[in-house]
Amino acid sequence: FLYYKLTPAQSTLNCSVFDRAGHRVRVLASSQIIPAEGAIIWDGKDTNGRYVPRGLYFISWESRSTSGGKTLSRQFSAVIYD
């Protein structure tokens, strides 16, 4: 789970998971309107519904206020292990 709390009432979110080589593994949100507070879920699966191998992954987050405010960009890491 990626729990978040943003200042604007609504934002547009783009969020993807990448492997260490920089390949996009999964898109979690693509221009999705999100409320000020909530969670985005990654179940550890790739775009084809298969569980990814254990290892280090990066989550790219970019949200922009729907009222035209500023953009928030972050990168997080996630470790998948047995």
Side-chain angles (χ1 to χ4, degrees), residues 12-69:
T12 302
L13 175 65
N14 292 302
C15 187
S16 294
V17 180
F18 296 87
D19 64 16
R20 289 181 60 181
H23 301 111
R24 184 174 299 169
V25 173
R26 176 96 178 262
V27 174
L28 302 178
S30 179
S31 298
Q32 179 179 336
I33 303 294
I34 58 170
E37 191 171 340
I40 299 295
I41 300 170
W42 179 39
D43 57 7
K45 294 180 182 179
D46 65 14
T47 302
N48 297 316
R50 296 179 301 233
Y51 284 103
V52 298
R54 66 181 169 196
L56 181 63
Y57 293 85
F58 301 98
I59 300 169
S60 173
W61 173 287
E62 183 177 285
S63 59
R64 180 183 303 251
S65 170
T66 56
S67 63

